Amino acid sequence: MIKKQVTPSILNVPKDQRVEVINNLIDMGIQWFHYDVMDNKFVPNEAISIDEIKSFKSTCKKHLSDAHLMVNDPFKYAHELKDYVTCLTIHYESFEKEEDIVKFVNEFSHTNWVGIAIKPSTDFNKIQPILYLFDLVLIMSVEPGFGGQQFIEKTYNKLKEIKNFINEEKLPTVIQIDGGINDLNSKKLFEHGSLFNVVGSYLINNLNKETLKKLQ
Ligand code: DX5
Ligand code: ZN
């Protein structure tokens, strides 16, 4: 059984400090990191590059991770990253045809966990019929693209809806929430069924064991 945990996002850590921050967090007990990958097309920003993620394998202590692919061509990025991350998470909105989502799962699920992310404006019913294909569902609680945004309160309803469905259908899919998480909402999200809380700015701006304790 996987325990509820904070999966830090290092998006807002300056590039030259990322290795040190990851290693410090591992020393504080973090086991799983969330790597934001952007192509400046799906979202108007760039994040952690493929080469940087690859380099973490030798520069950082051993850890698990998910690559949050905010890109128009997830296949290309997934091929590059599959040997370097635990979970490859695609956005539902990156695909025009559902059959390509199924193709993605078929291609990568024998080597990796595969996750599906939805934007705040995308209803759960869009992915409900295909949720059983995924190891993880990533509920965006901010508009993807930037760290440091405010948590969207409507996320709780979506979380409850998805958690109920997972319980009813007895799916093994785990829930991850991403965006605007801090000491005030983290506990409530865990209580409502989140397994992985992605925390970026709040953790990075107060990087110590106390902060981690408050989030867990
Ligand atoms: C936003 C990213 C998030 C972000 C989280 O597009 O997907 O992972 O970095 O950072 P905070 O916690 O600052 O919202
Ligand atoms: Zn993210």
Side-chain angles (χ1 to χ4, degrees):
M1 210 57 173
I2 306 169
K3 68 170 178 25
K4 293 180 180 173
Q5 57 193 281
V6 171
T7 55
S9 156
I10 52 151
L11 177 65
N12 280 9
V13 177
K15 201 173 168 191
D16 61 347
Q17 293 169 29
R18 285 178 184 157
V19 170
E20 198 189 333
V21 165
I22 291 170
N23 283 329
N24 279 343
L25 283 165
I26 292 171
D27 288 343
M28 292 182 209
I30 293 295
Q31 297 172 340
W32 183 300
F33 287 83
H34 172 88
Y35 294 131
D36 290 299
V37 179
M38 304 178 185
D39 62 358
N40 214 354
K41 294 182 192 118
F42 183 78
V43 288
N45 196 5
E46 282 168 11
I48 324 288
S49 71
I50 288 177
D51 284 343
E52 195 178 352
I53 294 174
K54 286 182 176 176
S55 73
F56 292 151
K57 200 164 185 170
S58 54
T59 54
C60 298
K61 298 178 187 186
K62 216 165 171 236
H63 60 275
L64 303 168
S65 61
D66 61 282
H68 176 194
L69 302 176
M70 289 164 272
V71 298
N72 280 346
D73 185 359
F75 282 93
K76 186 183 108 189
Y77 286 81
H79 274 293
E80 292 265 12
L81 288 171
K82 70 181 173 64
D83 296 333
Y84 297 87
V85 297
T86 315
C87 178
L88 296 161
T89 300
I90 51 174
H91 258 274
Y92 169 78
E93 302 85 359
S94 296
F95 292 81
E96 270 165 30
K97 290 182 282 177
E98 198 173 290
E99 63 191 74
D100 288 334
I101 299 182
V102 176
K103 198 174 144 211
F104 187 96
V105 174
N106 288 338
E107 202 157 327
F108 295 102
S109 60
H110 54 282
T111 51
N112 296 77
W113 273 31
V114 182
I116 182 105
I118 48 172
K119 290 183 181 182
S121 55
T122 302
D123 285 338
F124 171 53
N125 63 23
K126 296 269 192 256
I127 59 162
Q128 182 178 310
I130 51 169
L131 191 67
Y132 74 95
L133 296 170
F134 292 92
D135 303 292
L136 178 148
V137 56
L138 171 55
I139 307 172
M140 287 306 298
S141 42
V142 298
E143 203 51 47
F146 298 90
Q149 302 181 72
Q150 202 179 349
F151 181 83
I152 296 172
E153 294 290 326
K154 272 198 305 199
T155 308
Y156 292 114
N157 292 340
K158 202 184 254 182
L159 171 57
K160 276 188 222 161
E161 194 185 359
I162 296 180
K163 184 65 185 169
N164 283 343
F165 180 77
I166 286 174
N167 285 346
E168 275 162 22
E169 300 293 317
K170 298 190 172 56
L171 300 181
T173 315
V174 306
I175 300 176
Q176 185 178 42
I177 315 281
D178 181 12
I181 301 181
N182 54 38
D183 59 333
L184 302 174
N185 53 25
S186 184
K187 199 166 160 240
K188 189 167 165 192
L189 291 167
F190 282 135
E191 283 166 2
H192 282 71
S194 171
L195 191 73
F196 292 161
N197 282 356
V198 176
V199 190
S201 329
Y202 179 78
L203 177 60
I204 301 311
N205 295 336
N206 314 273
L207 197 62
N208 55 55
K209 270 198 155 163
E210 257 325 286
T211 308
L212 275 179
K213 227 171 143 187
K214 278 190 218 161
L215 290 164
Q216 255 139 3

